[in-house]
Amino acid sequence: MKNIRRLAPVAALSLLGMAGCNFLTGGETQVDPNRPTVATSRQLLIGVQANLWGLWGSDPSRIAGIFAQHFTGNQSQYQSQIQNYSLNETVTNGLQTSLYGGGGLVDIKKVEAGAVAADDKFFQGVAQVLEGATMGTGADIFGDLVYSKALQNVSNGLQQASGDFPNPPLDGQLAVYDSVQTVLSAAIANISSTRTSDVGPTDADLVYGGLSRTAQRAAWIALAHTLKARYYMHTAEVRPAAYAAALAEAQQGIKSDAGNYVGAFQNASGLQNFWYQFEVTAGRTGYVVPNTGFEDFIAARNDPRRTQYFKTTAAGEEISDERLAPDFQQPYVTYDENTLIWAEAAYRTGDQATALTKLNEERANHNLAPEAVAGQALLREILSEKYIADFQLGQEGWNDYKRTCFPNLVPTGTGKIPGRLYYDTSERQTNPTNIPNPGTAPNGTRNANDPANATSDGDGSACLGQ
Amino acid sequence: MRKLFLSVIGFAALTATTAFAQDGARVSGRVVGETGAPLVGASVFIPGMSLGSTTSDDGSYSFVVPASRANGQTATLTARILGYTPTSVQIALTSGANINQNFTLTANPLHLGEVVITGAGTSTTRERLTTTINSVDTAALQRASSPQNVVSALAGKAPNVEVRTQSGEPGASASIKIRGNASLTGTNQPLFVVDGQPIDNQTNSTDQGPNDFTGTGGTVSQNRAADINPNDIESIDILKGSAAAAIYGARAANGVVLITTKRGRQGPTRITYSSTETWDRVDPKDILQHQFGQGSSLATGTPVAAVCGGLDCALDRRSWGPAIAAGTPTYNHLTEIFDTGITADNNLSISGGNDRTTFYASGGLTAQNGYIVGPNNKYNRGSVRLKASHQVNSKFNIGGNFNFIDTRGNYVQKGSNVSGLFLGALRTPPNFNNKDYLTASGLQRPYRFPNPSSSDAFIGRAYYDNPFFVLNSPGNRSELGRSIANINLDYNPTDWLRVQYTLGGDYYNDWRLEALPITSAGDANGHVVRLDLNNLEIDHNLIATAKYDVNPNIQTTFTVGQNLNSRRFRDIYNAGEQLIAPTPLSLNNTVSVQGTEFRSLRHIESYFGQAETNLWDQLIVNVGLRNDGFSTFGESKRRNTFPKASAAWIFSKALGDKASGLLSFGKLRVAYGETGKEPPVYGAITALSSSAVFGSPGFGDVITSKFGNGGLVTGPVLGNNALRPERTRENEYGIDLGLFDQKADFSATWYNKRASDVILNTLPVNTSETGAFFTVANGASLTNKGYELALNARPVTLANFAWDLGVQFAHNKGDVTSLLGAQFITYNNEGFTGAIGSSTLGFAPGVIRGNDFARCGNGAIVDDVNGNSVDVDAYCNSVGAPKGALYLDTNGQPINDPTDRVIADPNPKYTMSYTSSVKLFNRITLSGLLDVRKGSQVWDGTRGILNYFGTSKESGEKRTTTDGQFGVNYLTDKYPVVTGPGKGTVAFTNYADWQAWYNGEGGGFGNTGALFVEDGSFAKLREISLAYTLNGNFLKALGGFTSADIRISGRNLHTWTKYKGLDPEANLGGAEYLTQGVDYFNHPQAKSFVLSFSLNR
């Protein structure tokens, strides 16, 4: 009995001492010591820019480059699947969700809300440009998308797993482009606001952040106009009136190479140019190689970009050292693109003189002699220059092909050149009402309003249904 | 070493002598079996006095009762040994007397009366057990000189305990799955408890970057239970069902493995030295072709050797080139990377004690050199243990158990990894000599650049590493120091109350280096990854047990306890990019270093109680309750209760108590229990992230938001503050029978396990709605139903000839019944493009999803070769083709169906094992174990990929055939019935056709994973062993040894299987993966030849 009495306090102490009232909640049991939970608009903006470069520079761009035959899927998955057009949900899984998830729309909306709260219209406008670019790219790749009813289960920045809005409906591809035009217009108006509270993102802007505020503002406005021109062009196959709109935007777009919107990559882990990561970090050299047809196409035109884009090694053709550098400032929206949209839109609206002027302005930018062509030959020259300028420019090579069927590419896989990628598995699973099973969807790799099934006439006219 | 060994023996002998230098009553005698054979290691003791001894090799024992305690009283003397019925006699203890007492024990094959550990400090006797607990004792573990990993050693030892050793490399992890998967995300490994203290059994690999160490590439992954030295183990009790495991509450849904280590016994000090040498070999099937060299036929239609220059360079890495000229040497790229692996395992244990103090001390050293050529596949483990207990007074015992382990190894890169050993080896054209692996300047010479080559110009363009470059790279190492220690107090204030207290700690630091040298395919600039893992688990367990007998026929036992547990995990991961100089492989020698860290802390505070009633020794009823508080449970669900109840009726007692006859023993069991699994740590928190991945990180599609002053993005996972534990409810029914004078016993168990509130760590949420990819949520459910049968027979039990045999049969059927609205969830890391691990509604957990060709009845609408849309089912209906018929396009080829579906179920339909052993003259034992697994499918990704490369045997044979027709002579075993407009069309008529097919949809990089699914059923001759026991005077003369055992055995000597790959058992991921059965350049298990001997003194 004596022993029990002696032991009892020990036992009681051990119970109380170790199982104190906060044993289950103390220390680092309830606080995550590894991950932050709050972020500023500036921090989120950096994530949003990185995400957009991912959309334009990583796997979606390699796949689009193979479809546009800038590249050849030469090995392994890129040969058996992409080059052969053997696509399904799993091949491209994870791409669609990046439009909405971290760095995508959810964070863009947070940045916009933060800018409104800070009464900073410049900052808000910059976020809106990025929104237009993100969702416009989504429409390019996937066609119909959830946009007008997106993020309904996020309120006041708080995300809910199951909210009141299951099965969000898809907007048609054209409706998405219309919304993109609206948000880009709003962006231009907001960026133009010069009140004292409109300080903008300053150096959180990774591309134009080093400029003076006035120059930074001008750069974003020009970028927004070029993007508007780009997305008007993407609708022109079914809305010929879009050429005039594109022309008007291109006239206010990027005016020089200095205004190019680029991926501001750095030589540090996780910050490198995606092609460097693919070829060097991940060791996938040779999986995706320069398309010899495209190289021949440039070479035949005596264009110096043949060696700017590519190098010849004993192991075969590869991307040039400059473009493979880890910190290569990869262009995504450029003066070249703007000039050629201007030229094509002018041509399509009947102004061949301007079209030729702009074509030669573009050629001069690459030290090429001016041309004196007219009619279909002029259009063919513009589209040829565009095909070369589209190299590694996000998805533009593929987008232009879908619109113009130029150049007259021979499909490398079964069937026709795909017009879209499949939605993510998880998005279909969680939105079965609106996203069909890929195996039972007719024309799974076509957009409903994308008449890419037409036959090319070799100069980009027939495909447009004109 | 020899000197030390002798001095240790000398010291032990000295202690032994002093033990007898006392006055008192000397009790001695001999314990033999019915046949007269001595019983070695039997305990002879006086219960209640803590006095006794164990028998030596001739069955003799002796001990002294101190004069102070021998005052002429009568005491009970009991002799007990596993497998025999304990026997007691009364003796009179008189000081100075010499009491001679011999025992003849009768065999007890049903182990009646033997103590079974039931967990959390409780135990009972075998016949009173109300649930299924499979016990594996030392003898079974050592029978075939079991492998070094204690988990691997459990293969085939108990029904529905499915063990998979992930590869044959040194240090490879092994997974154990008890009655199927209880859970859908996170681990499905059981809780490991050593001497009452939970220990860590994580499986970590260095592969997937920060904080995700379960990868498919990198180096071999280890499971930490492998740190336990099997030589220290006395017995293993496997708590399978929820009723048995409920006492461990929310950590026990996957079952519990209770390990009891050896302890010292009083009496003369015993010394055992054992040495085991193991030779490992791989005799792989020839899965490669040896006729065609590097090149391609696609551009020209005829095979062209690799050429390069100018714009149209075609320096091909495939082996679709021309036939190798006669006389050109070819190389077997599989067998050349293997040699004979050697493992030396040496153990010394010294144990003994006196009437108050016992000890067991051991030291073991295992040095394993694997079967891969070169110095960089080895695994060494050193371990020391001291377990001691001291009886302070008649009521109080204090004990301690200290174990220190040093594990270190060198590994080679493997798996899905361009620097992996098999990837490069098996993709090499047959005529390239890999052995010449360095260029003149010491850089790698990969096969892509044929002989001779100035390949310094090709740095970074190897595609795949030369296997000899890989296996000679010293860049992958791990060093681990671990201590597992506890003190325990046992206090018996009265004869009805017992209080036990255990306080233990398990701490390890795992230092890892993983590096790719300059010119590696995986990173041409070279890189160094350093990972430090730290794990600390502290466990406090306080238990009180009270026995109360209402009357002799109604006995009750009550147990209450408290458990406090703290688990702290820390890691620091540093990735150094771009080596400056080729060596050293150190972070200091890299251009940039990026570091990340992860830490977590989890606390448990639990209370439990249990009551057992024994009525007339016939009906045993056990009820219990555990209340768990976990820091990982959501705020509103902080505490959860897990009940259990079970009963057993020994009906043979009601029929008359007899130990012989047709039915000598019969028991019916029924049990119900609930167990759980805890949510992931910090699952309640929605956090931000600093990186995004597009496509696959293996393709470099990673971008962080660390630009400028640093950015953040919304994290992929939505937190959930209402997480509660998963809950498994299980009913179990069983019958145990002793038959034919106990010459046979049979037991059968049926169970029905229903898991609800199952947590999905990665439940997809609609990203366009929520901005998140996944959430963590309770609510999925699954069931596992099955049965287990075991039959053991001892047809011959003569003095000089004993034969016994056993068969175990187990069946488990898993079924995912709810995924919170999702049709399936995928485990992207657990498979490969074309074969992704998943859990899918209506299937067992862990099935593999992928695509198949369009077939009738699947509702497929596909694009044909002309780009026109085809409704396959409409066509099938119009021609009356049966469901499942393969649709052939006009070109005679099938079309990929883009809808992914379940293509393989790696879960076996049943598992079986047969054991048999013959014992002759009490000296020679011959035994064997055959392990059978039926109906588990394996995705043979290796074959698919080698078809693409043209190095596979299949591609070598097919390419010269001119009649490749589906339904007639190609893939007819897989797709016997065909339909479609291309039916009757020969799809492949020449070399280029075959190459185009294998480089497209017909090869492993295509989208048709179903093409490579195979039956992975097998029967493995898991163990066979011949043991001989020596004892006699010459051993005594040799150095006082009493006996010696010599054993020759083999492991995995033969496998009968239809599987076309190297090993149906190996798996790409680690043991933690739910999806098993993914073969992607896996290293096979070795055949082992084992020679061991042990000396006892």
Side-chain angles (χ1 to χ4, degrees):
Chain A
M1 254 352 248
K2 236 159 108 189
N3 281 327
I4 285 190
R5 269 189 229 112
R6 234 180 279 153
L7 197 70
V10 177
L13 272 178
S14 80
L15 289 172
L16 292 172
M18 290 187 72
C21 49
N22 64 353
F23 186 68
L24 294 181
T25 52
E28 289 181 344
T29 58
Q30 303 300 313
V31 213
D32 187 334
N34 310 295
R35 300 173 299 171
T37 50
V38 278
T40 64
S41 296
R42 292 170 55 83
Q43 289 160 347
L44 291 171
L45 185 77
I46 291 175
V48 168
Q49 295 170 81
N51 192 65
L52 182 61
W53 303 342
L55 274 176
W56 279 342
S58 74
D59 212 33
S61 131
R62 289 194 295 271
I63 293 170
I66 291 169
F67 292 161
Q69 298 185 18
H70 285 139
F71 289 103
T72 300
N74 197 42
Q75 280 173 18
S76 305
Q77 292 88 343
Y78 287 92
Q79 177 186 32
S80 295
Q81 295 169 2
I82 312 301
Q83 183 81 359
N84 280 339
Y85 308 154
S86 175
L87 302 174
N88 58 41
E89 286 176 335
T90 36
V91 170
T92 54
N93 202 19
L95 301 185
Q96 186 209 350
T97 44
S98 60
L99 298 173
Y100 305 100
L105 202 54
V106 67
D107 286 337
I108 295 172
K109 291 292 183 191
K110 284 183 196 168
V111 176
E112 289 173 9
V116 168
D119 199 23
D120 185 343
K121 289 197 170 189
F122 182 10
F123 204 135
Q124 186 193 355
V126 166
Q128 286 170 318
V129 175
L130 295 168
E131 176 177 344
T134 301
M135 295 312 293
T137 305
D140 295 343
I141 302 173
F142 299 103
D144 304 351
L145 279 177
V146 176
Y147 188 14
S148 61
K149 298 289 180 193
L151 303 176
Q152 299 276 299
N153 283 345
V154 184
S155 59
N156 296 326
L158 281 175
Q159 305 158 277
Q160 291 174 294
S162 53
D164 301 329
F165 304 98
N167 292 310
L170 306 180
D171 299 347
Q173 189 185 27
L174 285 174
V176 177
Y177 283 131
D178 289 344
S179 303
V180 165
Q181 293 295 349
T182 308
V183 77
L184 288 171
S185 297
I188 292 166
N190 281 327
I191 295 169
S192 306
S193 175
T194 53
R195 303 167 307 154
T196 40
S197 64
D198 300 321
V199 286
T202 64
D203 62 350
D205 166 3
L206 299 172
V207 180
Y208 305 126
L211 302 174
S212 72
R213 185 162 301 157
T214 312
Q216 190 183 14
R217 209 173 242 129
W220 278 99
I221 290 171
L223 171 64
H225 282 296
T226 301
L227 284 170
K228 283 177 75 77
R230 174 190 280 191
Y231 295 122
Y232 275 126
M233 293 301 277
H234 292 182
T235 63
E237 56 201 306
V238 288
R239 287 176 177 169
Y243 287 123
L247 180 64
E249 297 297 341
Q251 285 164 355
Q252 306 168 70
I254 298 171
K255 292 286 187 303
S256 72
D257 284 341
N260 287 355
Y261 186 79
V262 299
F265 298 105
Q266 296 172 15
N267 188 8
S269 178
L271 306 180
Q272 295 134 336
N273 173 18
F274 288 104
W275 281 92
Y276 173 85
Q277 288 194 39
F278 181 74
E279 303 247 319
V280 183
T281 313
R284 304 290 175 172
T285 308
Y287 281 50
V288 177
V289 301
N291 185 298
T292 50
F294 178 54
E295 283 194 81
D296 293 342
F297 184 86
I298 313 179
R301 296 171 62 86
N302 291 318
D303 192 310
R305 280 172 285 188
R306 159 71 188 86
T307 51
Q308 288 163 15
Y309 289 173
F310 305 115
K311 66 174 182 236
T312 303
T313 72
E317 290 299 283
E318 293 181 358
I319 300 168
S320 66
D321 290 340
E322 183 198 354
R323 288 194 162 243
L324 204 55
D327 54 357
F328 177 59
Q329 307 294 291
Q330 180 85 54
Y332 291 132
V333 187
T334 61
Y335 165 60
D336 288 344
E337 179 191 0
N338 192 71
T339 312
L340 290 166
I341 290 174
W342 193 334
E344 186 186 347
Y347 177 87
R348 303 276 189 192
T349 51
D351 183 359
Q352 290 204 20
T354 304
L356 183 62
T357 309
K358 284 289 151 187
L359 170 68
N360 285 331
E361 181 185 327
E362 162 69 3
R363 286 179 63 83
N365 198 34
H366 295 282
N367 300 318
L368 291 165
E371 296 210 47
V373 282
Q376 291 283 35
L378 173 58
L379 177 60
R380 192 157 43 231
E381 279 307 303
I382 294 169
L383 294 179
S384 297
E385 284 296 327
K386 190 82 189 295
Y387 185 53
I388 294 170
D390 280 343
F391 178 70
Q392 287 189 321
L393 195 73
Q395 289 76 28
E396 277 309 285
W398 183 36
N399 290 333
D400 278 334
Y401 175 78
K402 287 192 284 183
R403 182 170 61 86
T404 63
C405 300
F406 182 90
N408 196 6
L409 302 175
V410 178
T412 56
T414 305
K416 301 226 161 78
I417 294 172
R420 60 180 297 271
L421 299 182
Y422 286 106
Y423 297 115
D424 282 12
T425 316
S426 58
E427 290 298 278
R428 175 172 60 79
Q429 268 210 67
T430 52
N431 190 3
T433 318
N434 298 300
I435 300 183
N437 195 323
T440 55
N443 290 324
T445 53
R446 298 274 168 273
N447 287 313
N449 55 359
D450 188 359
N453 281 322
T455 313
S456 172
D457 65 356
D459 64 17
S461 292
C463 186
L464 299 169
Q466 292 175 339
Chain B
M1 186 65 212
R2 188 183 151 80
K3 215 170 171 181
L4 176 71
F5 178 60
L6 289 176
S7 65
V8 166
I9 292 173
F11 171 74
L14 198 69
T15 1
T17 345
T18 49
F20 289 99
Q22 292 169 20
D23 268 331
R26 187 169 192 277
V27 188
S28 63
R30 205 160 168 262
V31 182
V32 297
E34 288 164 294
T35 60
L39 295 177
V40 184
S43 302
V44 185
F45 58 102
I46 303 174
M49 287 185 78
S50 299
L51 289 170
S53 178
T54 50
T55 56
S56 62
D57 299 278
D58 58 356
S60 64
Y61 73 94
S62 83
F63 64 95
V64 175
V65 181
S68 59
R69 301 176 69 184
N71 42 25
Q73 81 274 38
T74 304
T76 306
L77 181 68
T78 303
R80 180 195 285 273
I81 184 171
L82 225 58
Y84 290 83
T85 306
T87 305
S88 299
V89 295
Q90 301 291 314
I91 53 168
L93 293 178
T94 315
S95 194
N98 258 335
I99 303 156
N100 192 299
Q101 180 65 52
N102 293 334
F103 289 92
T104 301
L105 301 186
T106 54
N108 177 21
L110 304 187
H111 301 264
L112 304 177
E114 284 174 12
V115 174
V116 182
I117 309 287
T118 50
T122 63
S123 60
T124 188
T125 53
R126 175 62 61 184
E127 73 270 24
R128 290 183 186 173
L129 210 52
T130 52
T131 54
T132 320
I133 294 180
N134 289 110
S135 300
V136 180
D137 64 19
T138 316
L141 283 176
Q142 285 180 349
R143 187 166 53 213
S145 307
S146 280
Q148 284 309 312
N149 187 339
V150 62
V151 174
S152 303
L154 293 175
K157 298 294 194 298
N160 259 334
V161 175
E162 193 197 338
V163 172
R164 276 181 195 250
T165 302
Q166 308 282 318
S167 98
E169 284 167 281
S173 61
S175 79
I176 177 169
K177 202 184 278 184
I178 299 172
R179 291 184 178 168
N181 293 301
S183 181
L184 295 177
T185 45
T187 181
N188 263 296
Q189 298 302 296
L191 176 69
F192 277 76
V193 177
V194 177
D195 292 330
Q197 177 191 356
I199 62 154
D200 181 78
N201 181 35
Q202 289 182 60
T203 298
N204 286 320
S205 125
T206 324
D207 179 40
Q208 290 283 327
N211 314 326
D212 180 3
F213 308 118
T214 50
T216 51
T219 55
V220 71
S221 58
Q222 310 160 22
N223 64 302
R224 286 270 72 90
D227 291 332
I228 301 295
N229 183 355
N231 291 286
D232 283 348
I233 295 175
E234 172 126 342
S235 68
I236 298 174
D237 296 289
I238 304 171
L239 311 184
K240 292 159 82 174
S242 293
I247 203 150
Y248 290 100
R251 296 179 79 181
N254 305 306
V256 182
V257 176
L258 299 172
I259 295 175
T260 307
T261 59
K262 288 176 182 165
R263 61 193 168 89
R265 292 165 205 279
Q266 80 183 83
T269 301
R270 294 175 63 86
I271 299 169
T272 300
Y273 172 73
S274 67
S275 178
T276 303
E277 304 292 318
T278 306
W279 289 267
D280 289 336
R281 274 189 65 85
V282 182
D283 290 319
K285 276 176 215 164
D286 192 8
I287 58 171
L288 302 174
Q289 59 94 357
H290 305 282
Q291 307 96 53
F292 300 95
Q294 192 174 357
S296 170
S297 70
L298 286 187
T300 59
T302 52
V304 178
V307 288
C308 204
L311 279 180
D312 297 312
C313 175
L315 187 54
D316 210 284
R317 58 180 184 159
R318 291 164 293 196
S319 293
W320 284 96
I324 296 165
T328 310
T330 61
Y331 306 88
N332 188 326
H333 294 310
L334 197 49
T335 53
E336 70 186 3
I337 56 173
F338 300 139
D339 60 9
T340 302
I342 298 180
T343 306
D345 182 24
N346 289 286
N347 281 278
L348 176 67
S349 72
I350 301 170
S351 67
N354 59 24
D355 61 324
R356 298 171 79 97
T357 306
T358 62
F359 76 99
Y360 168 86
S362 78
L365 189 62
T366 299
Q368 186 177 2
N369 213 327
Y371 60 67
I372 294 162
V373 169
N376 292 308
N377 69 121
K378 61 184 184 194
Y379 176 79
N380 293 349
R381 184 187 61 215
S383 108
V384 289
R385 179 184 293 275
L386 175 64
K387 185 175 180 179
S389 90
H390 179 72
Q391 189 79 34
V392 177
N393 58 36
S394 62
K395 291 176 175 169
F396 195 68
N397 188 290
I398 182 167
N401 192 349
F402 173 80
N403 186 202
F404 180 79
I405 304 128
D406 179 310
T407 299
R408 52 186 80 180
N410 290 33
Y411 312 101
V412 295
Q413 295 275 331
K414 62 141 192 127
S416 173
N417 166 1
V418 292
S419 285
L421 179 74
F422 275 33
L423 230 76
L426 301 185
R427 294 174 185 196
T428 306
N431 55 339
F432 183 80
N433 183 3
N434 270 333
K435 288 186 178 174
D436 194 7
Y437 69 97
L438 288 181
T439 65
S441 51
L443 299 172
Q444 179 184 195
R445 182 175 156 272
Y447 81 81
R448 189 180 168 213
F449 306 104
N451 282 317
S453 133
S454 58
S455 51
D456 285 12
F458 305 116
I459 292 170
R461 303 190 194 97
Y463 293 156
Y464 306 114
D465 276 344
N466 184 313
F468 286 87
F469 183 71
V470 174
L471 57 82
N472 281 301
S473 164
N476 308 296
R477 290 159 55 198
S478 76
E479 289 171 17
L480 172 127
R482 180 176 190 174
S483 53
I484 305 173
N486 68 50
I487 54 163
N488 50 73
L489 309 174
D490 194 341
Y491 178 58
N492 293 273
T494 67
D495 59 354
W496 56 268
L497 180 66
R498 180 179 184 195
V499 180
Q500 288 163 276
Y501 177 71
T502 308
L503 178 66
D506 172 12
Y507 176 80
Y508 63 77
N509 179 56
D510 190 355
W511 180 100
R512 297 193 190 192
L513 171 74
E514 199 165 306
L516 294 178
I518 289 175
T519 67
S520 286
D523 189 341
N525 295 324
H527 73 229
V528 175
V529 169
R530 276 276 295 106
L531 175 65
D532 268 300
L533 295 166
N534 261 284
N535 194 72
L536 172 63
E537 177 162 5
I538 297 173
D539 194 73
H540 148 120
N541 214 22
L542 181 66
I543 303 157
T545 308
K547 285 183 195 300
Y548 178 67
D549 296 351
V550 179
N551 65 46
N553 292 325
I554 304 175
Q555 302 166 350
T556 55
T557 308
F558 299 93
T559 307
V560 292
Q562 182 208 30
N563 178 237
L564 299 174
N565 181 287
S566 169
R567 277 169 293 161
R568 189 184 288 272
F569 180 79
R570 301 275 184 270
D571 75 64
I572 292 187
Y573 178 99
N574 279 303
E577 300 261 345
Q578 202 173 333
L579 286 165
I580 300 167
T583 56
L585 299 170
S586 152
L587 290 176
N588 302 339
N589 186 30
T590 59
V591 172
S592 74
V593 178
Q594 287 240 338
T596 53
E597 71 163 321
F598 176 79
R599 51 186 211 260
S600 67
L601 178 66
R602 284 178 282 197
H603 281 177
I604 303 174
E605 179 196 320
S606 300
Y607 301 91
F608 54 89
Q610 172 178 299
E612 185 165 295
T613 310
N614 177 6
L615 304 167
W616 287 276
D617 249 352
Q618 219 184 90
L619 183 67
I620 297 101
V621 180
N622 182 310
V623 293
L625 204 63
R626 180 171 172 122
N627 183 273
D628 269 332
F630 275 52
S631 66
T632 47
F633 296 168
E635 209 173 335
S636 56
K637 319 277 179 186
R638 197 69 83 197
R639 299 207 74 90
N640 285 269
T641 301
F642 298 90
K644 67 163 182 174
S646 55
W649 176 38
I650 306 169
F651 63 88
S652 53
K653 288 247 166 98
L655 303 172
D657 198 0
K658 57 197 174 198
S660 60
L662 174 66
L663 180 72
S664 56
F665 178 79
K667 179 170 78 171
L668 287 170
R669 292 178 271 120
V670 55
Y672 172 81
E674 297 187 10
T675 48
K677 207 194 115 181
E678 68 175 315
V681 69
Y682 307 134
I685 298 164
T686 304
L688 297 159
S689 154
S690 62
S691 72
V693 174
F694 303 83
S696 158
F699 291 103
D701 296 331
V702 183
I703 190 156
T704 72
S705 52
K706 291 180 181 171
F707 291 95
N709 293 322
L712 290 164
V713 298
T714 296
V717 184
L718 267 182
N720 181 347
N721 202 18
L723 286 175
R724 52 194 186 274
E726 300 183 2
R727 191 172 288 271
T728 297
R729 297 176 171 87
E730 183 169 358
N731 299 57
E732 185 182 295
Y733 314 93
I735 184 165
D736 301 308
L737 301 173
L739 300 163
F740 310 114
D741 297 335
Q742 306 211 0
K743 281 205 175 340
D745 60 87
F746 172 79
S747 102
T749 303
W750 292 262
Y751 61 88
N752 180 359
K753 237 168 119 170
R754 301 165 310 281
S756 58
D757 281 350
V758 171
I759 295 164
L760 299 180
N761 292 351
T762 53
L763 176 70
V765 290
N766 192 278
T767 313
S768 67
E769 265 182 284
T770 63
F773 301 118
F774 308 108
T775 189
V776 193
N778 289 91
S781 57
L782 69 137
T783 60
N784 279 286
K785 292 177 190 173
Y787 54 89
E788 292 149 10
L789 308 172
L791 175 67
N792 297 298
R794 293 160 290 276
V796 184
T797 51
L798 300 173
N800 289 327
F801 179 48
W803 175 37
D804 61 56
L805 71 165
V807 54
Q808 297 180 342
F809 183 94
H811 164 80
N812 181 69
K813 173 96 181 72
D815 185 11
V816 177
T817 51
S818 163
L819 288 171
L820 277 164
Q823 291 299 302
F824 59 90
I825 52 163
T826 55
Y827 311 117
N828 290 327
N829 279 344
E830 299 193 3
F832 205 77
T833 316
I836 292 179
S838 83
S839 282
T840 302
L841 271 187
F843 291 87
V847 292
I848 296 172
R849 293 184 74 88
N851 294 83
D852 197 357
F853 292 122
R855 299 165 80 166
C856 297
N858 286 342
I861 297 173
V862 292
D863 279 7
D864 72 5
V865 68
N866 300 313
N868 300 319
S869 182
V870 177
D871 184 334
V872 172
D873 282 4
Y875 179 91
C876 295
N877 291 337
S878 71
V879 299
K883 193 173 182 322
L886 184 70
Y887 179 86
L888 296 178
D889 203 352
T890 47
N891 58 4
Q893 294 184 21
I895 304 171
N896 180 269
D897 178 353
T899 302
D900 82 321
R901 59 188 77 245
V902 173
I903 55 170
D905 186 350
N907 299 292
K909 290 199 172 51
Y910 64 81
T911 51
M912 274 178 101
S913 69
Y914 301 87
T915 53
S916 182
S917 103
V918 173
K919 194 165 189 179
L920 296 169
F921 308 108
N922 272 306
R923 287 181 184 284
I924 302 169
T925 309
L926 176 67
S927 63
L929 166 62
L930 184 72
D931 198 2
V932 178
R933 182 171 302 160
K934 175 71 182 167
S936 59
Q937 290 179 308
V938 178
W939 176 73
D940 187 359
T942 313
R943 182 165 60 88
I945 298 296
L946 296 184
N947 281 348
Y948 172 94
F949 281 94
T951 56
S952 66
K953 195 185 186 82
E954 176 182 332
S955 72
E957 288 164 355
K958 286 290 176 202
R959 67 182 75 184
T960 52
T961 59
T962 55
D963 182 16
Q965 194 178 349
F966 287 88
V968 176
N969 54 16
Y970 183 55
L971 290 177
T972 46
D973 53 339
K974 194 143 194 92
Y975 301 105
V977 184
V978 299
T979 186
K983 186 179 175 180
T985 304
V986 180
F988 315 114
T989 59
N990 59 44
Y991 198 108
D993 282 351
W994 282 108
Q995 190 191 341
W997 169 249
Y998 283 129
N999 283 182
E1001 216 55 80
F1005 289 117
N1007 263 322
T1008 315
L1011 202 48
F1012 309 107
V1013 172
E1014 294 173 27
D1015 183 357
S1017 302
F1018 64 81
K1020 262 190 190 186
L1021 186 55
R1022 189 71 73 186
E1023 302 169 354
I1024 186 154
S1025 112
L1026 179 66
Y1028 185 74
T1029 304
L1030 273 168
N1031 48 22
N1033 290 332
F1034 82 98
L1035 274 174
K1036 279 220 165 62
L1038 209 66
F1041 298 106
T1042 51
S1043 70
D1045 297 296
I1046 299 169
R1047 194 187 308 269
I1048 301 170
S1049 52
R1051 268 201 313 271
N1052 301 327
L1053 285 189
H1054 191 77
T1055 304
W1056 293 267
T1057 181
K1058 279 189 260 177
Y1059 184 64
K1060 293 175 184 167
L1062 294 177
D1063 185 358
E1065 233 186 335
N1067 190 48
L1068 176 61
E1072 292 279 342
Y1073 281 2
L1074 194 96
T1075 307
Q1076 303 280 309
V1078 176
D1079 183 350
Y1080 193 80
F1081 296 89
N1082 299 341
H1083 298 181
Q1085 278 193 67
K1087 298 175 181 184
S1088 305
F1089 175 75
V1090 186
L1091 187 62
S1092 69
F1093 82 97
S1094 64
L1095 275 173
N1096 307 304
R1097 186 179 188 275

